[in-house]
Short mmCIF file of all heavy atoms in Angstrom, two decimals:
data_model
loop_
_atom_site.label_atom_id
_atom_site.label_comp_id
_atom_site.label_asym_id
_atom_site.label_seq_id
_atom_site.Cartn_x
_atom_site.Cartn_y
_atom_site.Cartn_z
N MET A 500 -78.42 -277.87 -62.06
CA MET A 500 -79.52 -278.00 -61.13
C MET A 500 -79.87 -276.59 -60.63
O MET A 500 -79.01 -275.83 -60.22
CB MET A 500 -79.09 -278.89 -59.97
CG MET A 500 -80.12 -278.97 -58.89
SD MET A 500 -79.63 -280.02 -57.50
CE MET A 500 -79.09 -281.48 -58.33
N ARG A 501 -81.14 -276.28 -60.64
CA ARG A 501 -81.61 -274.98 -60.15
C ARG A 501 -82.00 -275.09 -58.69
O ARG A 501 -82.56 -276.10 -58.25
CB ARG A 501 -82.79 -274.50 -60.99
CG ARG A 501 -82.34 -274.10 -62.39
CD ARG A 501 -83.33 -273.26 -63.14
NE ARG A 501 -83.86 -272.13 -62.41
CZ ARG A 501 -83.27 -270.95 -62.26
NH1 ARG A 501 -82.08 -270.74 -62.76
NH2 ARG A 501 -83.87 -269.96 -61.60
N VAL A 502 -81.68 -274.03 -57.95
CA VAL A 502 -81.97 -274.00 -56.52
C VAL A 502 -82.56 -272.66 -56.13
O VAL A 502 -82.39 -271.65 -56.82
CB VAL A 502 -80.68 -274.25 -55.68
CG1 VAL A 502 -80.16 -275.66 -55.89
CG2 VAL A 502 -79.61 -273.22 -55.97
N ARG A 503 -83.27 -272.67 -55.02
CA ARG A 503 -83.72 -271.45 -54.35
C ARG A 503 -83.05 -271.46 -52.97
O ARG A 503 -83.23 -272.40 -52.20
CB ARG A 503 -85.24 -271.42 -54.22
CG ARG A 503 -85.73 -270.19 -53.43
CD ARG A 503 -87.22 -270.01 -53.56
NE ARG A 503 -87.49 -269.53 -54.92
CZ ARG A 503 -88.70 -269.51 -55.47
NH1 ARG A 503 -89.75 -269.93 -54.79
NH2 ARG A 503 -88.87 -269.06 -56.70
N VAL A 504 -82.30 -270.41 -52.68
CA VAL A 504 -81.56 -270.33 -51.43
C VAL A 504 -82.24 -269.31 -50.53
O VAL A 504 -82.42 -268.14 -50.91
CB VAL A 504 -80.08 -269.91 -51.68
CG1 VAL A 504 -79.31 -269.86 -50.37
CG2 VAL A 504 -79.42 -270.87 -52.67
N TYR A 505 -82.63 -269.76 -49.34
CA TYR A 505 -83.25 -268.90 -48.33
C TYR A 505 -82.16 -268.53 -47.33
O TYR A 505 -81.54 -269.41 -46.73
CB TYR A 505 -84.39 -269.63 -47.62
CG TYR A 505 -85.52 -269.99 -48.54
CD1 TYR A 505 -85.51 -271.18 -49.26
CD2 TYR A 505 -86.60 -269.12 -48.71
CE1 TYR A 505 -86.56 -271.50 -50.11
CE2 TYR A 505 -87.65 -269.45 -49.55
CZ TYR A 505 -87.63 -270.64 -50.25
OH TYR A 505 -88.66 -270.96 -51.09
N LEU A 506 -81.93 -267.24 -47.19
CA LEU A 506 -80.84 -266.76 -46.35
C LEU A 506 -81.31 -266.42 -44.93
O LEU A 506 -82.46 -266.02 -44.74
CB LEU A 506 -80.21 -265.53 -46.99
CG LEU A 506 -79.71 -265.77 -48.42
CD1 LEU A 506 -79.34 -264.47 -49.09
CD2 LEU A 506 -78.54 -266.74 -48.43
N ARG A 507 -80.44 -266.57 -43.96
CA ARG A 507 -80.77 -266.23 -42.57
C ARG A 507 -81.03 -264.74 -42.41
O ARG A 507 -81.83 -264.33 -41.60
CB ARG A 507 -79.63 -266.63 -41.65
CG ARG A 507 -79.43 -268.12 -41.54
CD ARG A 507 -78.27 -268.41 -40.58
NE ARG A 507 -77.97 -269.82 -40.58
CZ ARG A 507 -78.60 -270.73 -39.87
NH1 ARG A 507 -79.59 -270.36 -39.09
NH2 ARG A 507 -78.26 -271.99 -39.93
N GLN A 508 -80.30 -263.94 -43.17
CA GLN A 508 -80.50 -262.49 -43.19
C GLN A 508 -80.13 -261.99 -44.57
O GLN A 508 -79.44 -262.67 -45.33
CB GLN A 508 -79.66 -261.82 -42.11
CG GLN A 508 -78.18 -262.01 -42.29
CD GLN A 508 -77.39 -261.50 -41.12
OE1 GLN A 508 -76.62 -262.24 -40.56
NE2 GLN A 508 -77.55 -260.26 -40.73
N ALA A 509 -80.62 -260.82 -44.92
CA ALA A 509 -80.38 -260.27 -46.26
C ALA A 509 -78.88 -260.11 -46.53
O ALA A 509 -78.09 -259.88 -45.62
CB ALA A 509 -81.08 -258.92 -46.39
N LEU A 510 -78.52 -260.22 -47.79
CA LEU A 510 -77.13 -260.03 -48.20
C LEU A 510 -76.73 -258.57 -48.04
O LEU A 510 -77.53 -257.66 -48.24
CB LEU A 510 -76.95 -260.44 -49.67
CG LEU A 510 -77.15 -261.92 -49.96
CD1 LEU A 510 -77.18 -262.15 -51.46
CD2 LEU A 510 -76.05 -262.76 -49.32
N PHE A 511 -75.48 -258.35 -47.70
CA PHE A 511 -74.95 -256.99 -47.56
C PHE A 511 -74.49 -256.48 -48.92
O PHE A 511 -73.88 -257.21 -49.70
CB PHE A 511 -73.78 -256.96 -46.59
CG PHE A 511 -73.07 -255.64 -46.58
CD1 PHE A 511 -73.60 -254.58 -45.88
CD2 PHE A 511 -71.91 -255.46 -47.30
CE1 PHE A 511 -72.97 -253.34 -45.87
CE2 PHE A 511 -71.27 -254.23 -47.30
CZ PHE A 511 -71.80 -253.17 -46.59
N SER A 512 -74.78 -255.24 -49.21
CA SER A 512 -74.27 -254.57 -50.40
C SER A 512 -74.18 -253.08 -50.12
O SER A 512 -74.88 -252.56 -49.25
CB SER A 512 -75.21 -254.82 -51.59
OG SER A 512 -74.67 -254.24 -52.76
N LEU A 513 -73.34 -252.40 -50.84
CA LEU A 513 -73.25 -250.95 -50.71
C LEU A 513 -74.52 -250.32 -51.26
O LEU A 513 -75.16 -250.88 -52.15
CB LEU A 513 -72.03 -250.43 -51.45
CG LEU A 513 -70.69 -250.91 -50.91
CD1 LEU A 513 -69.56 -250.47 -51.83
CD2 LEU A 513 -70.46 -250.43 -49.49
N PRO A 514 -74.90 -249.15 -50.78
CA PRO A 514 -76.13 -248.51 -51.25
C PRO A 514 -75.98 -247.90 -52.64
O PRO A 514 -74.88 -247.60 -53.09
CB PRO A 514 -76.39 -247.43 -50.20
CG PRO A 514 -75.06 -247.15 -49.60
CD PRO A 514 -74.27 -248.42 -49.67
N GLY A 515 -77.12 -247.74 -53.31
CA GLY A 515 -77.18 -247.04 -54.59
C GLY A 515 -76.40 -247.71 -55.69
O GLY A 515 -76.30 -248.92 -55.78
N ALA A 516 -75.82 -246.89 -56.57
CA ALA A 516 -75.11 -247.38 -57.76
C ALA A 516 -73.86 -248.18 -57.39
O ALA A 516 -73.37 -248.96 -58.22
CB ALA A 516 -74.74 -246.21 -58.65
N ALA A 517 -73.32 -248.01 -56.19
CA ALA A 517 -72.12 -248.73 -55.76
C ALA A 517 -72.43 -250.19 -55.40
O ALA A 517 -71.53 -251.00 -55.28
CB ALA A 517 -71.47 -248.04 -54.58
N GLY A 518 -73.71 -250.52 -55.24
CA GLY A 518 -74.10 -251.87 -54.85
C GLY A 518 -73.96 -252.85 -55.99
O GLY A 518 -74.24 -252.53 -57.13
N HIS A 519 -73.54 -254.07 -55.69
CA HIS A 519 -73.38 -255.10 -56.72
C HIS A 519 -74.57 -256.05 -56.76
O HIS A 519 -74.70 -256.83 -57.70
CB HIS A 519 -72.08 -255.88 -56.50
CG HIS A 519 -72.04 -256.66 -55.22
ND1 HIS A 519 -71.99 -256.06 -53.98
CD2 HIS A 519 -72.07 -257.99 -54.99
CE1 HIS A 519 -71.97 -257.00 -53.05
NE2 HIS A 519 -72.03 -258.18 -53.63
N ILE A 520 -75.41 -255.99 -55.74
CA ILE A 520 -76.62 -256.80 -55.69
C ILE A 520 -77.76 -255.92 -55.17
O ILE A 520 -77.50 -254.89 -54.56
CB ILE A 520 -76.45 -258.05 -54.80
CG1 ILE A 520 -76.10 -257.63 -53.36
CG2 ILE A 520 -75.40 -258.99 -55.37
CD1 ILE A 520 -76.07 -258.77 -52.39
N PRO A 521 -79.01 -256.33 -55.38
CA PRO A 521 -80.12 -255.52 -54.87
C PRO A 521 -80.13 -255.46 -53.33
O PRO A 521 -79.84 -256.46 -52.67
CB PRO A 521 -81.37 -256.24 -55.37
CG PRO A 521 -80.92 -257.21 -56.38
CD PRO A 521 -79.48 -257.48 -56.14
N ALA A 522 -80.45 -254.29 -52.81
CA ALA A 522 -80.58 -254.15 -51.36
C ALA A 522 -81.71 -255.04 -50.86
O ALA A 522 -82.70 -255.22 -51.55
CB ALA A 522 -80.87 -252.69 -51.01
N SER A 523 -81.57 -255.62 -49.72
CA SER A 523 -82.54 -256.48 -49.04
C SER A 523 -82.78 -257.82 -49.71
O SER A 523 -83.79 -258.47 -49.46
CB SER A 523 -83.87 -255.74 -48.81
OG SER A 523 -84.61 -255.59 -50.00
N ALA A 524 -81.85 -258.30 -50.53
CA ALA A 524 -81.98 -259.63 -51.15
C ALA A 524 -81.86 -260.70 -50.07
O ALA A 524 -80.83 -260.82 -49.41
CB ALA A 524 -80.94 -259.84 -52.23
N ALA A 525 -82.92 -261.47 -49.87
CA ALA A 525 -82.95 -262.50 -48.83
C ALA A 525 -83.25 -263.89 -49.37
O ALA A 525 -83.05 -264.88 -48.68
CB ALA A 525 -83.97 -262.13 -47.76
N VAL A 526 -83.74 -263.96 -50.60
CA VAL A 526 -84.03 -265.22 -51.27
C VAL A 526 -83.48 -265.10 -52.69
O VAL A 526 -83.72 -264.09 -53.36
CB VAL A 526 -85.55 -265.52 -51.34
CG1 VAL A 526 -85.82 -266.85 -52.02
CG2 VAL A 526 -86.15 -265.50 -49.94
N ILE A 527 -82.72 -266.10 -53.13
CA ILE A 527 -82.16 -266.05 -54.47
C ILE A 527 -82.43 -267.34 -55.22
O ILE A 527 -82.47 -268.42 -54.62
CB ILE A 527 -80.65 -265.75 -54.45
CG1 ILE A 527 -79.90 -266.79 -53.62
CG2 ILE A 527 -80.38 -264.35 -53.91
CD1 ILE A 527 -78.39 -266.64 -53.66
N ASP A 528 -82.66 -267.22 -56.52
CA ASP A 528 -82.83 -268.37 -57.40
C ASP A 528 -81.68 -268.37 -58.39
O ASP A 528 -81.24 -267.31 -58.85
CB ASP A 528 -84.13 -268.27 -58.20
CG ASP A 528 -85.36 -268.61 -57.42
OD1 ASP A 528 -85.25 -268.93 -56.22
OD2 ASP A 528 -86.46 -268.55 -58.00
N GLY A 529 -81.23 -269.57 -58.75
CA GLY A 529 -80.18 -269.66 -59.75
C GLY A 529 -79.70 -271.09 -59.95
O GLY A 529 -80.25 -272.03 -59.38
N ALA A 530 -78.65 -271.21 -60.75
CA ALA A 530 -78.05 -272.51 -61.04
C ALA A 530 -76.96 -272.79 -60.02
O ALA A 530 -76.09 -271.94 -59.78
CB ALA A 530 -77.47 -272.52 -62.44
N LEU A 531 -77.00 -273.97 -59.43
CA LEU A 531 -75.98 -274.39 -58.49
C LEU A 531 -74.70 -274.69 -59.26
O LEU A 531 -74.70 -275.52 -60.17
CB LEU A 531 -76.45 -275.62 -57.72
CG LEU A 531 -75.54 -276.15 -56.63
CD1 LEU A 531 -75.35 -275.11 -55.53
CD2 LEU A 531 -76.11 -277.44 -56.06
N ILE A 532 -73.62 -274.00 -58.93
CA ILE A 532 -72.34 -274.18 -59.62
C ILE A 532 -71.45 -275.15 -58.86
O ILE A 532 -70.81 -276.01 -59.44
CB ILE A 532 -71.61 -272.82 -59.77
CG1 ILE A 532 -72.45 -271.86 -60.60
CG2 ILE A 532 -70.24 -273.01 -60.40
CD1 ILE A 532 -71.93 -270.45 -60.59
N GLU A 533 -71.39 -274.96 -57.54
CA GLU A 533 -70.53 -275.82 -56.73
C GLU A 533 -71.01 -275.86 -55.29
O GLU A 533 -71.72 -274.97 -54.83
CB GLU A 533 -69.07 -275.35 -56.77
CG GLU A 533 -68.80 -274.07 -56.01
CD GLU A 533 -67.33 -273.70 -55.98
OE1 GLU A 533 -66.52 -274.48 -55.44
OE2 GLU A 533 -67.00 -272.63 -56.50
N VAL A 534 -70.60 -276.92 -54.63
CA VAL A 534 -70.82 -277.07 -53.18
C VAL A 534 -69.45 -277.40 -52.61
O VAL A 534 -68.78 -278.32 -53.08
CB VAL A 534 -71.81 -278.21 -52.87
CG1 VAL A 534 -71.97 -278.39 -51.38
CG2 VAL A 534 -73.14 -277.96 -53.55
N ASN A 535 -69.01 -276.62 -51.62
CA ASN A 535 -67.72 -276.91 -51.00
C ASN A 535 -67.81 -276.66 -49.50
O ASN A 535 -68.89 -276.34 -48.99
CB ASN A 535 -66.60 -276.09 -51.66
CG ASN A 535 -66.80 -274.61 -51.55
OD1 ASN A 535 -67.22 -274.10 -50.51
ND2 ASN A 535 -66.52 -273.88 -52.62
N SER A 536 -66.71 -276.78 -48.80
CA SER A 536 -66.73 -276.64 -47.35
C SER A 536 -67.05 -275.22 -46.90
O SER A 536 -67.46 -275.00 -45.78
CB SER A 536 -65.41 -277.10 -46.75
OG SER A 536 -64.36 -276.32 -47.27
N PHE A 537 -66.87 -274.24 -47.78
CA PHE A 537 -67.18 -272.85 -47.45
C PHE A 537 -68.67 -272.58 -47.58
O PHE A 537 -69.27 -271.88 -46.77
CB PHE A 537 -66.39 -271.91 -48.37
CG PHE A 537 -66.61 -270.46 -48.07
CD1 PHE A 537 -65.97 -269.86 -46.99
CD2 PHE A 537 -67.44 -269.69 -48.85
CE1 PHE A 537 -66.17 -268.52 -46.70
CE2 PHE A 537 -67.64 -268.35 -48.58
CZ PHE A 537 -67.00 -267.75 -47.50
N GLY A 538 -69.30 -273.10 -48.64
CA GLY A 538 -70.72 -272.83 -48.89
C GLY A 538 -71.14 -273.26 -50.28
O GLY A 538 -70.67 -274.27 -50.80
N LEU A 539 -72.02 -272.46 -50.89
CA LEU A 539 -72.56 -272.77 -52.21
C LEU A 539 -72.15 -271.72 -53.22
O LEU A 539 -72.22 -270.52 -52.95
CB LEU A 539 -74.10 -272.77 -52.17
CG LEU A 539 -74.81 -273.75 -51.28
CD1 LEU A 539 -76.32 -273.56 -51.41
CD2 LEU A 539 -74.43 -275.17 -51.64
N GLY A 540 -71.76 -272.17 -54.40
CA GLY A 540 -71.55 -271.28 -55.53
C GLY A 540 -72.84 -271.30 -56.35
O GLY A 540 -73.31 -272.36 -56.75
N VAL A 541 -73.42 -270.13 -56.59
CA VAL A 541 -74.70 -270.03 -57.30
C VAL A 541 -74.61 -268.95 -58.37
O VAL A 541 -74.13 -267.84 -58.10
CB VAL A 541 -75.86 -269.70 -56.33
CG1 VAL A 541 -77.19 -269.60 -57.07
CG2 VAL A 541 -75.95 -270.72 -55.21
N ALA A 542 -75.06 -269.27 -59.58
CA ALA A 542 -75.22 -268.27 -60.64
C ALA A 542 -76.63 -267.71 -60.48
O ALA A 542 -77.60 -268.30 -60.95
CB ALA A 542 -75.02 -268.90 -62.01
N VAL A 543 -76.74 -266.60 -59.81
CA VAL A 543 -78.04 -266.02 -59.43
C VAL A 543 -78.65 -265.28 -60.62
O VAL A 543 -78.00 -264.46 -61.25
CB VAL A 543 -77.88 -265.04 -58.24
CG1 VAL A 543 -79.22 -264.47 -57.83
CG2 VAL A 543 -77.20 -265.74 -57.07
N ASP A 544 -79.92 -265.59 -60.88
CA ASP A 544 -80.63 -264.87 -61.94
C ASP A 544 -81.95 -264.27 -61.47
O ASP A 544 -82.62 -263.57 -62.21
CB ASP A 544 -80.87 -265.77 -63.16
CG ASP A 544 -81.61 -267.05 -62.83
OD1 ASP A 544 -82.43 -267.07 -61.90
OD2 ASP A 544 -81.35 -268.06 -63.52
N GLN A 545 -82.32 -264.52 -60.21
CA GLN A 545 -83.52 -263.91 -59.65
C GLN A 545 -83.28 -263.58 -58.19
O GLN A 545 -82.75 -264.39 -57.43
CB GLN A 545 -84.74 -264.83 -59.77
CG GLN A 545 -86.02 -264.17 -59.29
CD GLN A 545 -87.24 -265.06 -59.48
OE1 GLN A 545 -87.15 -266.19 -59.89
NE2 GLN A 545 -88.39 -264.51 -59.17
N TRP A 546 -83.67 -262.36 -57.80
CA TRP A 546 -83.49 -261.85 -56.45
C TRP A 546 -84.86 -261.57 -55.85
O TRP A 546 -85.73 -261.05 -56.52
CB TRP A 546 -82.70 -260.54 -56.49
CG TRP A 546 -81.44 -260.59 -57.26
CD1 TRP A 546 -81.30 -260.31 -58.60
CD2 TRP A 546 -80.15 -260.92 -56.79
NE1 TRP A 546 -79.99 -260.44 -58.97
CE2 TRP A 546 -79.25 -260.82 -57.87
CE3 TRP A 546 -79.65 -261.28 -55.55
CZ2 TRP A 546 -77.90 -261.07 -57.75
CZ3 TRP A 546 -78.29 -261.53 -55.43
CH2 TRP A 546 -77.44 -261.42 -56.52
N MET A 547 -85.04 -261.87 -54.55
CA MET A 547 -86.29 -261.58 -53.86
C MET A 547 -85.99 -261.06 -52.46
O MET A 547 -84.95 -261.38 -51.88
CB MET A 547 -87.15 -262.84 -53.76
CG MET A 547 -87.71 -263.31 -55.09
SD MET A 547 -88.48 -264.93 -54.96
CE MET A 547 -87.08 -265.97 -55.31
N ASP A 548 -86.93 -260.28 -51.93
CA ASP A 548 -86.79 -259.82 -50.55
C ASP A 548 -87.36 -260.87 -49.60
O ASP A 548 -87.78 -261.95 -50.03
CB ASP A 548 -87.42 -258.44 -50.35
CG ASP A 548 -88.93 -258.42 -50.49
OD1 ASP A 548 -89.58 -259.50 -50.57
OD2 ASP A 548 -89.50 -257.32 -50.53
N GLU A 549 -87.40 -260.56 -48.31
CA GLU A 549 -87.85 -261.54 -47.30
C GLU A 549 -89.33 -261.88 -47.41
O GLU A 549 -89.79 -262.85 -46.81
CB GLU A 549 -87.53 -261.03 -45.88
CG GLU A 549 -88.38 -259.88 -45.41
CD GLU A 549 -87.98 -258.51 -45.98
OE1 GLU A 549 -86.90 -258.38 -46.58
OE2 GLU A 549 -88.77 -257.57 -45.82
N LYS A 550 -90.10 -261.13 -48.20
CA LYS A 550 -91.51 -261.43 -48.41
C LYS A 550 -91.78 -262.07 -49.76
O LYS A 550 -92.92 -262.25 -50.15
CB LYS A 550 -92.34 -260.15 -48.26
CG LYS A 550 -92.29 -259.61 -46.84
CD LYS A 550 -93.18 -258.43 -46.66
CE LYS A 550 -93.11 -257.99 -45.21
NZ LYS A 550 -93.99 -256.89 -44.90
N GLY A 551 -90.71 -262.41 -50.49
CA GLY A 551 -90.85 -263.07 -51.78
C GLY A 551 -91.11 -262.13 -52.94
O GLY A 551 -91.38 -262.60 -54.05
N ARG A 552 -91.01 -260.83 -52.71
CA ARG A 552 -91.21 -259.87 -53.80
C ARG A 552 -89.96 -259.79 -54.66
O ARG A 552 -88.84 -259.74 -54.13
CB ARG A 552 -91.54 -258.48 -53.24
CG ARG A 552 -92.87 -258.45 -52.48
CD ARG A 552 -93.10 -257.09 -51.89
NE ARG A 552 -92.09 -256.84 -50.86
CZ ARG A 552 -92.31 -256.18 -49.74
NH1 ARG A 552 -93.49 -255.65 -49.49
NH2 ARG A 552 -91.35 -256.01 -48.86
N SER A 553 -90.15 -259.78 -55.96
CA SER A 553 -89.05 -259.74 -56.90
C SER A 553 -88.30 -258.41 -56.79
O SER A 553 -88.90 -257.35 -56.61
CB SER A 553 -89.59 -259.93 -58.31
OG SER A 553 -88.53 -260.00 -59.23
N LEU A 554 -86.97 -258.48 -56.90
CA LEU A 554 -86.12 -257.30 -56.87
C LEU A 554 -85.38 -257.18 -58.19
O LEU A 554 -85.03 -258.19 -58.81
CB LEU A 554 -85.09 -257.41 -55.73
CG LEU A 554 -85.62 -257.56 -54.32
CD1 LEU A 554 -84.48 -257.90 -53.36
CD2 LEU A 554 -86.31 -256.27 -53.88
N GLU A 555 -85.13 -255.95 -58.63
CA GLU A 555 -84.37 -255.70 -59.85
C GLU A 555 -82.89 -255.88 -59.56
O GLU A 555 -82.36 -255.32 -58.60
CB GLU A 555 -84.61 -254.28 -60.35
CG GLU A 555 -86.03 -254.03 -60.84
CD GLU A 555 -86.33 -254.77 -62.13
OE1 GLU A 555 -85.45 -254.84 -62.99
OE2 GLU A 555 -87.46 -255.27 -62.25
N GLY A 556 -82.23 -256.67 -60.39
CA GLY A 556 -80.80 -256.85 -60.22
C GLY A 556 -80.22 -257.67 -61.35
O GLY A 556 -80.89 -258.55 -61.89
N ALA A 557 -79.00 -257.38 -61.71
CA ALA A 557 -78.31 -258.11 -62.77
C ALA A 557 -77.91 -259.50 -62.28
O ALA A 557 -77.67 -259.69 -61.08
CB ALA A 557 -77.07 -257.33 -63.20
N PRO A 558 -77.83 -260.46 -63.19
CA PRO A 558 -77.34 -261.78 -62.81
C PRO A 558 -75.91 -261.69 -62.26
O PRO A 558 -75.11 -260.87 -62.73
CB PRO A 558 -77.36 -262.57 -64.12
CG PRO A 558 -78.33 -261.85 -64.98
CD PRO A 558 -78.23 -260.41 -64.60
N ARG A 559 -75.61 -262.49 -61.25
CA ARG A 559 -74.29 -262.50 -60.62
C ARG A 559 -73.94 -263.92 -60.21
O ARG A 559 -74.82 -264.72 -59.92
CB ARG A 559 -74.27 -261.66 -59.35
CG ARG A 559 -74.51 -260.22 -59.53
CD ARG A 559 -73.22 -259.51 -59.81
NE ARG A 559 -73.49 -258.09 -59.88
CZ ARG A 559 -72.85 -257.28 -60.66
NH1 ARG A 559 -71.90 -257.71 -61.43
NH2 ARG A 559 -73.15 -256.01 -60.69
N GLN A 560 -72.66 -264.21 -60.15
CA GLN A 560 -72.19 -265.45 -59.55
C GLN A 560 -71.71 -265.12 -58.15
O GLN A 560 -70.90 -264.23 -57.96
CB GLN A 560 -71.08 -266.08 -60.37
CG GLN A 560 -71.58 -266.66 -61.67
CD GLN A 560 -70.54 -267.51 -62.36
OE1 GLN A 560 -69.48 -267.80 -61.82
NE2 GLN A 560 -70.85 -267.91 -63.57
N LEU A 561 -72.26 -265.84 -57.16
CA LEU A 561 -71.92 -265.61 -55.76
C LEU A 561 -71.45 -266.90 -55.10
O LEU A 561 -71.96 -267.99 -55.41
CB LEU A 561 -73.13 -265.10 -54.99
CG LEU A 561 -73.77 -263.78 -55.40
CD1 LEU A 561 -74.98 -263.51 -54.53
CD2 LEU A 561 -72.77 -262.65 -55.30
N LEU A 562 -70.54 -266.76 -54.17
CA LEU A 562 -70.17 -267.84 -53.27
C LEU A 562 -70.76 -267.46 -51.92
O LEU A 562 -70.34 -266.48 -51.31
CB LEU A 562 -68.65 -268.00 -53.18
CG LEU A 562 -68.13 -269.11 -52.28
CD1 LEU A 562 -68.73 -270.46 -52.66
CD2 LEU A 562 -66.63 -269.17 -52.34
N ILE A 563 -71.77 -268.20 -51.50
CA ILE A 563 -72.52 -267.86 -50.29
C ILE A 563 -72.04 -268.76 -49.16
O ILE A 563 -72.12 -269.98 -49.25
CB ILE A 563 -74.03 -268.06 -50.52
CG1 ILE A 563 -74.48 -267.26 -51.74
CG2 ILE A 563 -74.81 -267.66 -49.29
CD1 ILE A 563 -75.84 -267.64 -52.23
N PRO A 564 -71.56 -268.17 -48.07
CA PRO A 564 -71.07 -268.98 -46.95
C PRO A 564 -72.20 -269.79 -46.29
O PRO A 564 -73.33 -269.32 -46.19
CB PRO A 564 -70.50 -267.96 -45.96
CG PRO A 564 -70.85 -266.62 -46.46
CD PRO A 564 -71.42 -266.74 -47.83
N SER A 565 -71.86 -270.98 -45.87
CA SER A 565 -72.84 -271.86 -45.22
C SER A 565 -73.52 -271.19 -44.04
O SER A 565 -74.71 -271.39 -43.79
CB SER A 565 -72.18 -273.16 -44.74
OG SER A 565 -71.65 -273.87 -45.82
N SER A 566 -72.79 -270.38 -43.29
CA SER A 566 -73.35 -269.72 -42.11
C SER A 566 -74.45 -268.73 -42.47
O SER A 566 -75.26 -268.37 -41.62
CB SER A 566 -72.24 -269.01 -41.33
OG SER A 566 -71.64 -268.01 -42.14
N LYS A 567 -74.51 -268.30 -43.71
CA LYS A 567 -75.50 -267.33 -44.17
C LYS A 567 -76.79 -268.02 -44.64
O LYS A 567 -77.84 -267.40 -44.74
CB LYS A 567 -74.89 -266.54 -45.33
CG LYS A 567 -75.66 -265.38 -45.81
CD LYS A 567 -75.39 -264.20 -44.91
CE LYS A 567 -75.89 -262.94 -45.57
NZ LYS A 567 -75.94 -261.85 -44.62
N ILE A 568 -76.72 -269.31 -44.90
CA ILE A 568 -77.84 -270.05 -45.51
C ILE A 568 -78.74 -270.67 -44.44
O ILE A 568 -78.26 -271.37 -43.54
CB ILE A 568 -77.30 -271.15 -46.44
CG1 ILE A 568 -76.49 -270.52 -47.57
CG2 ILE A 568 -78.44 -272.01 -46.98
CD1 ILE A 568 -75.71 -271.52 -48.40
N ASP A 569 -80.05 -270.42 -44.58
CA ASP A 569 -81.02 -271.08 -43.71
C ASP A 569 -81.34 -272.45 -44.29
O ASP A 569 -81.21 -273.46 -43.63
CB ASP A 569 -82.29 -270.24 -43.57
CG ASP A 569 -83.25 -270.87 -42.60
OD1 ASP A 569 -82.90 -270.98 -41.41
OD2 ASP A 569 -84.35 -271.27 -43.04
N HIS A 570 -81.78 -272.48 -45.54
CA HIS A 570 -82.01 -273.75 -46.23
C HIS A 570 -82.05 -273.54 -47.73
O HIS A 570 -82.12 -272.41 -48.21
CB HIS A 570 -83.25 -274.47 -45.72
CG HIS A 570 -84.54 -273.76 -46.01
ND1 HIS A 570 -84.99 -272.68 -45.31
CD2 HIS A 570 -85.49 -274.00 -46.96
CE1 HIS A 570 -86.15 -272.29 -45.79
NE2 HIS A 570 -86.48 -273.06 -46.80
N VAL A 571 -82.02 -274.66 -48.47
CA VAL A 571 -82.00 -274.64 -49.93
C VAL A 571 -83.09 -275.55 -50.44
O VAL A 571 -83.27 -276.67 -49.97
CB VAL A 571 -80.63 -275.12 -50.46
CG1 VAL A 571 -80.62 -275.15 -51.98
CG2 VAL A 571 -79.50 -274.25 -49.93
N SER A 572 -83.83 -275.06 -51.44
CA SER A 572 -84.85 -275.86 -52.10
C SER A 572 -84.38 -276.18 -53.52
O SER A 572 -83.94 -275.27 -54.24
CB SER A 572 -86.16 -275.06 -52.15
OG SER A 572 -87.14 -275.72 -52.89
N TYR A 573 -84.44 -277.44 -53.90
CA TYR A 573 -84.08 -277.84 -55.25
C TYR A 573 -85.27 -277.59 -56.16
O TYR A 573 -86.36 -278.10 -55.92
CB TYR A 573 -83.68 -279.31 -55.31
CG TYR A 573 -82.41 -279.59 -54.56
CD1 TYR A 573 -82.44 -280.13 -53.27
CD2 TYR A 573 -81.18 -279.32 -55.12
CE1 TYR A 573 -81.27 -280.39 -52.58
CE2 TYR A 573 -80.01 -279.58 -54.44
CZ TYR A 573 -80.06 -280.11 -53.17
OH TYR A 573 -78.90 -280.35 -52.49
N LEU A 574 -85.07 -276.80 -57.22
CA LEU A 574 -86.16 -276.47 -58.14
C LEU A 574 -86.23 -277.43 -59.31
O LEU A 574 -87.28 -277.63 -59.89
CB LEU A 574 -86.01 -275.02 -58.63
CG LEU A 574 -86.00 -273.96 -57.53
CD1 LEU A 574 -85.77 -272.58 -58.14
CD2 LEU A 574 -87.29 -274.00 -56.75
N SER A 575 -85.10 -277.97 -59.74
CA SER A 575 -85.10 -278.96 -60.84
C SER A 575 -83.78 -279.70 -60.86
O SER A 575 -82.84 -279.35 -60.24
CB SER A 575 -85.33 -278.27 -62.18
OG SER A 575 -84.34 -277.33 -62.45
#
């Protein structure tokens, strides 16, 4: 199942080449891997900033804590 996750605030990452995700990523699209008491496991393949602009970034698997999530939209 594909989801779009809207975050309460942008994800934290180190700056420049040390970063594992794009800076200012606030909306992510990907495949839902798991749902547990901690949050959502998502195989992210698209990154966006808070205005919906696409960001360059490699696909990643993330476990996003529930406290970080504003809401989730099911895409398919």
Side-chain angles (χ1 to χ4, degrees):
M500 174 180 311
R501 290 197 48 82
V502 294
R503 176 168 287 166
V504 181
Y505 296 87
L506 303 169
R507 293 181 186 276
Q508 62 188 125
L510 294 170
F511 171 79
S512 184
L513 296 173
H519 64 291
I520 59 173
S523 73
V526 181
I527 57 174
D528 283 0
L531 183 62
I532 299 170
E533 72 175 299
V534 177
N535 60 41
S536 60
F537 182 78
L539 299 180
V541 180
V543 181
D544 56 31
Q545 184 177 4
W546 309 90
M547 291 171 271
D548 67 10
E549 72 282 348
K550 295 185 178 183
R552 296 177 294 216
S553 185
L554 301 170
E555 293 290 322
R559 296 272 184 213
Q560 288 191 9
L561 298 178
L562 181 55
I563 305 166
S565 298
S566 61
K567 188 82 166 167
I568 299 169
D569 184 64
H570 66 283
V571 178
S572 174
Y573 294 100
L574 301 177
S575 60

